[in-house]
Amino acid sequence: MIIVMSDSHGESKVIQDIKATYQDEASAIVHCGDSELDATDPIWKSISVVRGNCDFDTLFPESLVISADQAQVFVTHGHLYGVNFGLSQLTDAAQKAGCKLALFGHLHTPIATVEQDILCLNPGSVAQPRGQYKTKMYARIDITADAYVISYMDLAHQPIANLQFRLARSSQ
């Protein structure tokens, strides 16, 4: 399982709580930027994290490629890939990096879709949700042989109704 969070905007307690909940069972815990914390903060031990547009510490990478659950995963905040206007730049970057998953933040709203055989996922925000869903949330991805099983979770670690998806994986 891969745990994905984003846009915590200084709320380190929620990062620590999610980490403590999943650190023994997740293959990866990812933060898609805008933590507003220092890159050297000990909280990042065993969390893959990237720099968002509100992160001023230049030690954060702008993107990462990680391996989790036998998949290559592209991680970025999204602002450098025009996610406000569509996902084509993001999917192109993920394909160039050899990844089948593209995880991003920035929009503060849940998105789970397969575009150009790439799972594009925004976990929403653990601090400042926007759009239709006002719940602070993160995402859990379970990869099966034929599908991505995505569960958006609230901060009590409970599944959010209407935000549970099973998306077919590429036939490749």
Side-chain angles (χ1 to χ4, degrees):
M1 127 190 34
I2 302 168
I3 300 300
V4 188
M5 66 182 109
S6 191
D7 296 281
S8 52
H9 293 284
E11 293 191 23
S12 60
K13 282 180 64 177
V14 70
I15 298 169
Q16 189 60 46
D17 183 53
I18 292 169
K19 177 181 172 179
T21 300
Y22 294 102
Q23 67 186 353
D24 293 333
E25 58 183 300
S27 62
I29 301 175
V30 175
H31 192 294
C32 296
D34 275 2
S35 68
E36 298 185 41
L37 301 176
D38 290 334
T40 57
D41 192 307
I43 201 165
W44 301 125
K45 185 177 189 296
S46 65
I47 297 178
S48 298
V49 59
V50 295
R51 183 178 182 195
N53 60 298
C54 293
D55 292 318
F56 298 105
D57 190 330
T58 59
L59 294 177
F60 287 116
E62 293 190 345
S63 65
L64 287 173
V65 173
I66 63 169
S67 293
D69 290 348
Q70 301 178 342
Q72 292 297 102
V73 182
F74 182 77
V75 181
T76 192
H77 186 59
H79 64 296
L80 301 175
Y81 295 91
V83 296
N84 294 63
F85 307 104
L87 301 175
S88 62
Q89 289 180 54
L90 178 69
T91 56
D92 288 348
Q95 283 178 332
K96 286 178 186 166
C99 297
K100 288 293 187 180
L101 287 79
L103 309 178
F104 68 103
H106 192 56
L107 300 177
H108 294 229
T109 189
I111 296 171
T113 183
V114 176
E115 304 280 331
Q116 301 175 31
D117 288 334
I118 307 284
L119 171 66
C120 298
L121 184 132
N122 186 307
S125 172
V126 295
Q128 300 171 1
R130 294 181 189 151
Q132 176 182 357
Y133 298 97
K134 303 302 182 200
T135 303
K136 295 176 181 181
M137 68 180 77
Y138 63 95
R140 171 184 171 151
I141 305 169
D142 290 288
I143 302 174
T144 69
D146 62 347
Y148 300 108
V149 180
I150 298 151
S151 299
Y152 284 90
M153 311 293 281
D154 64 24
L155 298 188
H157 313 296
Q158 298 300 309
I160 299 170
N162 302 320
L163 286 176
Q164 308 299 305
F165 305 99
R166 182 180 184 87
L167 301 174
R169 290 180 65 179
S170 163
S171 57
Q172 299 175 353

